[in-house]
Amino acid sequence: MARLNRWLGTGLMGLAAGVMPLAAQSLWIPASDPVGIARGGAGVAFGQSLEGAALNPALLVTLRDSSSAFLSLGMDMAGSQITLPSNQRSLFSGDRNRALPAFGASWRVNDRFAFGLKLDEPFLRHAALPVESSVRFLTTSLDLKAQRIEFQTAWALRPDISFGVGLGVARLSFGSSVNLRSAVPDVPTQPLSATNVPLALVEIEGQQSGSVTVPSLAAGFRWAINPRWTFAGAYQSSLSGNLSLKAGASSRQPVYFDNDGFSRPPIGIETKGAVLVAQTQFQAGSRRIALPGKASLGVRHRFSQFFTWEFDMRHVDGAKLELPTAPVLVTPSGSINSQPLASGYRSGFGASLTGEMAMAKDWTFRLGFGVDPAVQDDASVNPMISGSRSASFSAGVGYRIWGGEINLGYLFRQNKDVDNTTLDGAWASSGYRATGTTTRVEGMGHLFSIGFKRSF
């Protein structure tokens, strides 16, 4: 049995290492609490862990305390970089930071029933490109957030087998912006025609934002094969609905160009441009939003009383991902749309591997590695969604004090660099066109959180 344990442990770690180069940057957060972050998103089979119950409600009946709770606060820092190899100029995204709160609680009724409550943020993505980026004609910024609260319950069929479900709601918030150009005709209140010719171009930034509350479902099981091995699985439903989007022009002042899209405009064009801008308005894009669900399977091995490791595999239903299109500029000459930013969303498999070591009496150290599937083809990768392949590395520590435990978790995410020929574009009086120039897209992110857990 000991030899089997060594073979299985070595094989799973080798599999994780082999998958590592195929990972992907994602729209989702692997975990919101410091323990889950330090574990790299693994934990569906990690019994006797309140944080693990946030991933798999079936783990609630494994908790030894009659009641417990944790509260944490962290930060998500994400950034993208686009580089034109032709001139080696690099631009970096802004709007990098977001708060990351999390909460969890459990109540044990008896040896067979338990209840729980969790608050987390399963999806979070935010970025804003500099105004000089040519990608601004496709999109300028994106702000996506999902705040989820679920009531959980778990039932033990027998001591080694349990099931759990979670029901709740998620608040989806979405915002985006894009820069669009319109011709400024000789008579700005009238449509373009053979006699009402364009004198210049005006560039206006439009933005939209909205939110919607949707139902959320989770389910899981746990099977303790023996005192050392545990096998478990969990499912998190997709989140979808129609946003109440509102659109309008941003506070940035319009910018004017000559008809070639680069040169200075004719002197005095601002007067006619202001009349045209007053006649325009932005309309929201498509309102549908759908964020993918995922199904996970995990195996946990208690190697010794000091060290435990777990390996999780998960399938992310990325093919169902759907984000609203950019706002539309309506002018006297008609509607002006941006080019679709992304297409070709797809599903795939990811993995996480974590190890947890208890040191002395009060210290617990954690390490984690995670990979996620690409949600886009390389030809569709862009700095907003950042759907290319990547990996994550995490670490954390817990210290028992004040009748509870303080936990700290940190995770670094690095996505695969992708060269894309569809992002760079130019906009002249004839309209927008892609230049075909290669653009390198890079991205990385940091997660960290600190929290306190207490049993009652």
Side-chain angles (χ1 to χ4, degrees):
M1 185 65 180
R3 181 176 297 179
L4 175 61
N5 291 349
R6 288 195 298 270
W7 285 352
L8 184 55
T10 303
L12 290 175
M13 292 182 182
L15 177 60
V19 174
M20 190 67 70
L22 304 178
Q25 178 80 8
S26 57
L27 293 168
W28 51 88
I29 298 293
S32 298
D33 61 89
V35 174
I37 290 173
R39 291 173 179 168
V44 296
F46 224 108
Q48 300 179 13
S49 169
L50 178 58
E51 295 84 2
L55 302 174
N56 183 1
L59 302 182
L60 287 171
V61 291
T62 69
L63 302 178
R64 295 177 177 177
D65 302 307
S66 59
S67 61
S68 58
F70 76 82
L71 179 66
S72 66
L73 181 62
M75 184 73 69
D76 172 44
M77 299 180 292
S80 298
Q81 174 183 342
I82 54 176
T83 302
L84 292 176
S86 57
N87 58 16
Q88 291 301 308
R89 186 186 183 192
S90 296
L91 298 175
F92 300 88
S93 66
D95 193 24
R96 294 170 175 258
N97 304 327
R98 288 291 185 278
L100 188 64
F103 171 77
S106 71
W107 301 270
R108 185 182 181 90
V109 179
N110 52 44
D111 291 340
R112 301 188 64 182
F113 290 97
F115 298 99
L117 182 68
K118 76 168 184 180
L119 170 68
D120 64 352
E121 293 190 359
F123 295 92
L124 195 60
R125 180 67 186 168
H126 44 94
L129 293 177
V131 293
E132 62 267 32
S133 165
S134 60
V135 184
R136 70 186 185 276
F137 300 130
L138 306 179
T139 185
T140 308
S141 68
L142 183 143
D143 188 1
L144 169 67
K145 179 170 66 174
Q147 294 176 307
R148 178 175 59 190
I149 184 169
E150 283 184 357
F151 177 76
Q152 303 170 304
T153 182
W155 171 59
L157 178 64
R158 58 191 201 202
D160 58 330
I161 297 178
S162 62
F163 301 91
V165 295
L167 294 173
V169 295
R171 184 69 171 175
L172 309 183
S173 301
F174 179 85
S176 67
S177 63
V178 66
N179 283 44
L180 301 175
R181 287 183 175 181
S182 173
V184 181
D186 186 31
V187 182
T189 58
Q190 300 298 318
L192 290 166
S193 65
T195 58
N196 192 25
V197 296
L199 303 179
L201 296 173
V202 59
E203 182 176 321
I204 313 171
E205 182 184 55
Q207 57 188 12
Q208 62 182 3
S209 61
S211 59
V212 63
T213 301
V214 301
S216 175
L217 169 68
F221 74 91
R222 169 188 173 270
W223 176 30
I225 303 173
N226 58 44
R228 290 188 178 272
W229 290 94
T230 301
F231 177 68
Y235 170 75
Q236 293 283 350
S237 68
S238 60
L239 305 174
S240 60
N242 293 319
L243 295 159
S244 56
L245 285 178
K246 295 182 179 180
S250 74
S251 58
R252 288 180 179 174
Q253 293 296 318
V255 182
Y256 297 91
F257 300 88
D258 200 359
N259 284 325
D260 61 6
F262 298 99
S263 306
R264 291 185 176 182
I267 297 176
I269 195 64
E270 291 82 0
T271 302
K272 292 187 176 182
V275 176
L276 174 68
V277 172
Q279 301 292 316
T280 64
Q281 62 178 346
F282 279 95
Q283 293 181 352
S286 61
R287 301 176 184 274
R288 179 70 176 174
I289 185 171
L291 303 177
K294 65 178 180 179
S296 304
L297 291 175
V299 58
R300 178 201 185 199
H301 180 214
R302 190 170 182 265
F303 185 79
S304 69
Q305 61 178 332
F306 303 108
F307 180 71
T308 301
W309 62 266
E310 178 173 336
F311 177 75
D312 288 1
M313 288 288 293
R314 58 184 170 272
H315 177 265
V316 179
D317 196 7
K320 294 183 178 179
L321 176 62
E322 187 176 352
L323 297 177
T325 55
V328 178
L329 179 61
V330 181
T331 74
S333 299
S335 299
I336 300 174
N337 298 271
S338 67
Q339 297 295 315
L341 177 64
S343 60
Y345 295 126
R346 63 187 186 184
S347 304
F349 289 90
S352 294
L353 176 67
T354 185
E356 187 167 293
M357 180 177 293
M359 298 291 292
K361 180 181 179 181
D362 299 323
W363 292 91
T364 302
F365 295 92
R366 304 176 180 95
L367 290 174
F369 305 93
V371 295
D372 286 308
V375 296
Q376 293 177 290
D377 299 326
D378 284 355
S380 301
V381 167
N382 60 80
M384 289 291 103
I385 301 173
S386 194
S388 66
R389 300 177 293 176
S390 72
S392 65
F393 308 88
S394 58
V397 62
Y399 179 65
R400 293 177 180 85
I401 190 174
W402 301 325
E405 184 179 39
I406 293 179
N407 288 292
L408 178 67
Y410 168 79
L411 182 143
F412 170 76
R413 294 190 290 178
Q414 177 71 53
N415 69 306
K416 173 190 172 184
D417 299 345
V418 173
D419 290 334
N420 193 319
T421 59
T422 64
L423 294 178
D424 187 67
W427 199 317
S429 59
S430 58
Y432 174 84
R433 65 176 179 86
T435 64
T437 302
T438 298
T439 303
R440 172 158 294 181
V441 181
E442 306 172 61
M444 60 184 295
H446 304 269
L447 289 176
F448 68 87
S449 180
I450 184 170
F452 184 70
K453 180 172 62 177
R454 178 72 185 270
S455 300
F456 305 95

